[in-house]
Amino acid sequence: MRPSTHVQRLLSLLLTALFLLSACQPQPSAPATATSAPAAETPSGPTGAATPITATLQHLTYTPLPGDVVNPERGFRYSFDDFAPSDFGVYRNLGTSLVYSDIDLRDFRDRDISQEKLDQIQAAFDAVRQGGMKVILRVKYNDGPWPNSEPDASLEQILRHIEQLKPLFQKNADVIAWVHAGFIGAWGEWHTSTHKLDKDPAAKQAVINALAQALPPDRFIQLRYPFDLMSLFPQPLSAEQAFSGTLQARLGFHNDCFLSSDTDVGTYDRGGVNERPQATAYLSQVTQFAPAGGETCQVYEPLQSCEAAIREMETLHWTDLNISYHKQVIKNWQKAGCFEEIQKRLGYRLVLQEAAFPSAAQIGTSLTLTVKLRNEGFASPLNPRPFYAVLDGPATFTLPLEGIDPRRWLPGEHVISTSLALPADAPEGEYRLALWLPDPAESLKNDPRYAIRFANEGVWEEAKGWNVLGTMTLTRAAVQTSEAAPQPPASAAQPTATVASIPPTAAATATPGSAASPMRPAANGLDMVAIPLSTPPTLDGDLSDWPSFPCYTLDKPEQIGYGDPASWGGPDDLSGSFCWGWDESALYLAFEVRDDVLRGLKGANLWENDYVEVWLDVNLAGDFDETKNNGDDFQFGFMPGDFGEVAPKVAVFVPPISSARIKSIESAFARTANGYRGEVKIPFTVFGDALDLSQGVFGAALAFSDNDSDKPAQEMMISTAPGSISQWGNPTLWNNLKLGK
């Protein structure tokens, strides 16, 4: 029925008002640069009934801060000789979040700690909390000197003192960053003990055990000498053991003569032998998951040059450093121009790079949030820390992001992709979307001084401790939006969380059709054909059942897409051959890689080792001109490991899919005299509903990635589409992979 003229005029006025209101909507905050289409609109039909909103996927980028960020539990710190009340906020105003202090018990070497002293310690904890700081503690009985130290205490007295301190440690754990093992010897540094405790392994073990019992199970204890740690636990802490609350998982390292001689003034001396390399290799693994810190004690130029010092801090994941001592070392770094870099990188430095989320979402449903950040520090955040998304608008909602542990954010890039369940009782309106990493202690959780701030311009909400990503609209109307989100460059780490599983396609098999499909230009690189297979190959790393092998070879300098071609050592350094195959249920890949230095480093990310990378666009025609990867663009990594301790690994970097689908991918690898071979089967069910076989062609790119160093790194990639590597996730730069008939 045709509406009356009166109704038409009324609708016209209403639509005009809606248009004016939508034009006045606030835009994302200054640091975020939107690359998506305009914000969502709400169209109306001729009867005025609402139709589904069409929302756009916002791709936002962020500007890094140039200077240091005062964040909890990291950085330069000031030091005190005895733990007593002070205006610790002064030191926060000086740009630090940590202080170090001894608890001086020299007056109690042979008796209980007095109540007056215990009250002094509690008052000092209160002052630390008031100042917005955290403290690193060590108990001592003297100030040396070396080699003729004043007395320490007996083991019996030490254990009694730990028992007395336990209630204070438990009550004030919220402002304890970690503690030094202390108690024994000169300055509590586990040498020159007048009771010979530094020579008694059982006594040292007893002190560590008692201190571990006195502290909450999530607080670390740092040992002074690496060989004490290595004697207790000959095998270094693994990623699987980390943060488990076991004694080994709670032990870190402090060095009070850091970079100060070839042995760091005895730190690495073992029975008169300098075992610095062995200890460093051990500590470099441990300190990924436990704190390393300390101070320098004298000038020693060979290890204190900017290059050498930063390299050592990177290797040992240095978290805190005394700015008060040795003053000349600090001055030398300031003069040489690297003090600011060290200041910024001590501990963690989290830089927000990109975020993707829809411009509108329906209340009571879920949305996908994808964030890419880079840790530019030397270490990760080490103490427990919850992670929330915050929606702030007509009401404020705090949404826990389960299964994401910031302690696992080692230096490098990380992708967080997660599903947010939107509250059913949320009022309609515009909301800011923020990320919040507060302290887990209830006493500090709502104190923004203890929340982690990203090192970006314009995202920090200081009053709340939030990192604001941008804005979006919540509505009760249905919303149609893209689900795909941009992901990090090829050198990025694997996602630290995934969205809920996407059900696989109902059809496990398919046959390509003959419909014409657009094709990528030959200028992109190497066009490829997958051989039809009547009998699938046996996956065992033996390529003898691939009669056409090798089908394609990458061995030319112009095929290098990442790294300096001038540093390429020729085909023996990095090259490879491969073949594609397919049948009605799966895609197959066989490859043989020449690599003169095979790296499968323990604890490293997959992409920091030697591996094979594959991109597949499984719906080429569906979004042929789209320059950002989305839900039909899959990035795989196939790592052979070291054929020893480090096992092979398969990863799907993007898009987020269920672990069940990842596990359905089969692979096998074999060592060769000059590299490795491999075979892979990718069932079509891995691609879920994104798969379109009707065109008989995929977009594809394959690369062999190389690391010849003894540290986690990505040094060089040789690729079928070399121009695509510098523009990560741009499907228009890939090749064609035809399914042969």
Side-chain angles (χ1 to χ4, degrees):
M1 178 170 54
R2 185 180 179 190
S4 67
T5 303
H6 177 73
V7 172
Q8 286 179 322
R9 288 176 179 172
L10 182 60
L11 285 172
S12 177
L13 289 171
L14 179 60
L15 288 171
T16 301
L18 286 172
F19 175 79
L20 291 173
L21 283 171
S22 66
C24 297
Q25 294 298 307
Q27 299 301 311
S29 56
T33 305
T35 59
S36 63
E41 297 179 0
T42 309
S44 296
T47 63
T51 60
I53 291 174
T54 301
T56 57
L57 185 70
Q58 301 181 94
H59 296 285
L60 308 178
T61 58
Y62 304 86
T63 303
L65 276 171
D68 186 34
V69 176
V70 180
N71 262 324
E73 303 165 341
R74 61 154 297 273
F76 279 115
R77 41 96 168 162
Y78 290 88
S79 297
F80 301 88
D81 290 332
D82 192 22
F83 195 40
S86 178
D87 184 2
F88 290 106
V90 169
Y91 301 98
R92 185 172 185 87
N93 293 336
L94 291 174
T96 65
S97 68
L98 277 174
V99 292
Y100 163 89
S101 185
D102 298 318
I103 296 177
D104 193 334
L105 297 183
R106 70 183 68 207
D107 294 336
F108 307 96
R109 291 177 180 133
D110 56 1
R111 62 190 178 97
D112 280 1
I113 306 169
S114 68
Q115 188 59 49
E116 181 183 7
K117 183 68 174 181
L118 294 173
D119 290 344
Q120 172 192 308
I121 296 170
Q122 180 58 58
F125 277 126
D126 293 339
V128 168
R129 193 177 292 106
Q130 180 68 29
M133 305 288 283
K134 291 209 175 187
V135 63
I136 303 168
L137 289 172
R138 183 199 301 174
V139 177
K140 68 178 182 181
Y141 294 101
N142 59 62
D143 283 322
W146 183 87
N148 299 309
S149 177
E150 295 178 2
D152 55 4
S154 68
L155 177 60
E156 181 182 9
Q157 192 65 66
I158 289 172
L159 297 180
R160 170 57 183 157
H161 286 167
I162 293 175
E163 183 181 345
Q164 286 188 277
L165 292 169
K166 179 176 179 178
L168 291 173
F169 288 164
Q170 294 282 336
K171 179 180 179 180
N172 299 285
D174 59 341
V175 291
I176 297 174
W178 37 83
V179 301
H180 293 182
F183 292 96
I184 293 174
W187 296 283
E189 288 188 26
W190 284 40
H191 65 80
T192 326
S193 168
T194 58
H195 287 79
K196 309 300 181 185
L197 301 180
D198 57 325
K199 307 299 183 184
D200 185 346
K204 291 190 282 190
Q205 178 79 67
V207 171
I208 292 172
N209 289 344
L211 196 53
Q213 289 295 319
L215 291 162
D218 58 10
R219 281 299 176 265
F220 292 101
I221 302 166
Q222 291 177 301
L223 303 189
R224 173 65 182 89
Y225 291 99
F227 303 114
D228 285 321
L229 185 55
M230 295 166 74
S231 296
L232 286 169
F233 300 102
Q235 293 300 317
L237 182 69
S238 69
E240 292 73 24
Q241 296 168 316
F243 313 120
S244 62
T246 64
L247 182 60
Q248 183 177 9
R250 296 175 61 188
L251 297 182
F253 169 60
H254 74 91
N255 185 347
D256 286 15
C257 276
F258 183 51
L259 305 172
S260 297
S261 79
D262 59 345
T263 66
D264 282 359
V265 192
T267 299
Y268 297 111
D269 186 303
R270 195 176 201 180
V273 178
N274 184 356
E275 294 193 5
R276 187 181 198 116
Q278 298 92 320
T280 298
Y282 181 97
L283 291 171
S284 67
Q285 170 69 21
V286 171
T287 56
Q288 293 181 87
F289 315 111
E295 63 186 15
T296 59
C297 68
Q298 63 185 17
V299 174
Y300 183 69
E301 292 182 0
L303 288 179
Q304 291 168 1
S305 69
C306 286
E307 181 181 359
I310 289 172
R311 181 171 61 246
E312 187 81 348
M313 293 181 203
E314 289 175 337
T315 300
L316 296 181
H317 308 95
W318 217 249
T319 291
D320 70 88
L321 193 62
N322 187 359
I323 199 172
S324 306
Y325 191 73
H326 191 279
K327 290 186 178 295
Q328 189 58 50
V329 177
I330 301 296
K331 289 178 181 178
N332 289 345
W333 285 337
Q334 291 170 331
K335 183 177 179 180
C338 60
F339 174 84
E340 289 187 357
E341 179 179 353
I342 294 170
Q343 182 184 43
K344 289 191 294 186
R345 297 185 64 193
L346 282 168
Y348 58 90
R349 179 180 173 85
L350 305 179
V351 182
L352 183 63
Q353 295 182 301
E354 296 177 11
F357 54 92
S359 60
Q362 185 179 15
I363 293 166
T365 65
S366 295
L367 66 86
T368 297
L369 169 65
T370 301
V371 174
K372 184 177 79 172
L373 58 83
R374 180 173 182 83
N375 183 354
E376 296 181 351
F378 298 135
S380 61
L382 289 167
N383 282 332
R385 189 160 292 270
F387 191 26
Y388 300 94
V390 177
L391 286 167
D392 182 50
T396 301
F397 299 93
T398 302
L399 311 175
L401 301 181
E402 304 291 352
I404 303 173
D405 190 347
R407 296 176 297 180
R408 301 283 182 177
W409 295 347
L410 289 165
E413 288 186 348
H414 299 269
V415 173
I416 303 151
S417 189
T418 189
S419 180
L420 301 182
L422 301 176
D425 58 347
E428 290 188 306
E430 185 177 71
Y431 287 77
R432 294 187 301 168
L433 177 59
L435 297 178
W436 184 35
L437 293 100
D439 195 280
E442 286 301 318
S443 56
L444 305 179
K445 184 174 182 179
N446 293 309
D447 188 333
R449 296 174 298 179
Y450 292 96
I452 289 180
R453 175 184 179 181
F454 292 155
N456 293 93
E457 294 182 354
V459 303
W460 182 240
E461 174 64 73
E462 186 171 7
K464 299 290 188 179
W466 300 341
N467 298 279
V468 179
L469 301 178
T471 60
M472 64 176 302
T473 299
L474 295 187
T475 176
R476 298 203 175 279
V479 176
Q480 296 175 344
T481 186
S482 168
E483 294 181 357
Q487 302 289 340
S491 60
Q494 300 172 54
T496 56
T498 58
V499 296
S501 302
I502 304 171
T505 180
T509 63
T511 303
S514 58
S517 172
M519 303 282 282
R520 298 298 180 202
N524 281 8
L526 190 64
D527 273 355
M528 300 168 283
V529 176
I531 303 165
L533 302 172
S534 56
T535 302
T538 301
L539 301 185
D540 55 8
D542 181 353
L543 307 188
S544 60
D545 49 358
W546 289 79
S548 300
F549 194 91
C551 304
Y552 307 99
T553 298
L554 300 174
D555 62 357
K556 298 178 176 59
E558 59 267 26
Q559 294 170 325
I560 294 172
Y562 180 77
D564 183 4
S567 66
W568 181 54
D572 286 341
D573 181 12
L574 177 65
S575 62
S577 300
F578 63 96
C579 280
W580 287 103
W582 77 283
D583 61 22
E584 63 178 8
S585 65
L587 195 63
Y588 300 84
L589 174 64
F591 49 84
E592 183 166 356
V593 180
R594 294 176 66 89
D595 187 348
D596 55 355
V597 180
L598 184 61
R599 291 295 185 210
L601 299 175
K602 206 169 185 178
N605 293 302
L606 182 149
W607 56 271
E608 295 174 315
N609 293 300
D610 295 325
Y611 79 104
V612 179
E613 180 182 281
V614 170
W615 278 101
L616 290 172
D617 179 351
V618 296
N619 186 2
L620 183 61
D623 52 1
F624 186 77
D625 296 320
E626 178 58 55
T627 58
K628 278 189 172 290
N629 63 291
N630 56 38
D632 63 22
D633 302 311
F634 289 72
Q635 185 191 24
F636 300 89
F638 307 112
M639 183 189 81
D642 66 354
F643 299 94
E645 292 185 356
V646 179
K649 188 171 183 179
V650 172
V652 180
F653 297 118
V654 292
I657 64 172
S658 69
S659 59
R661 283 203 267 170
I662 296 174
K663 289 178 181 178
S664 73
I665 302 170
E666 300 177 48
S667 64
F669 300 87
R671 190 77 162 94
T672 66
N674 52 17
Y676 61 94
R677 292 191 299 264
E679 293 175 284
V680 176
K681 175 184 177 181
I682 308 174
F684 286 136
T685 52
V686 167
F687 305 115
D689 293 333
L691 180 67
D692 181 5
L693 284 172
S694 65
Q695 305 298 318
V697 62
F698 293 156
L702 180 146
F704 301 126
S705 184
D706 189 29
N707 175 20
D708 285 346
S709 74
D710 58 359
K711 295 181 180 179
Q714 187 171 42
E715 294 186 334
M716 185 168 290
M717 299 181 80
I718 191 166
S719 173
T720 62
S724 69
I725 295 180
S726 63
Q727 298 189 42
W728 186 95
N730 183 348
T732 66
L733 301 178
W734 301 345
N735 316 114
N736 303 302
L737 174 60
K738 301 175 185 176
L739 302 181
K741 297 181 180 180

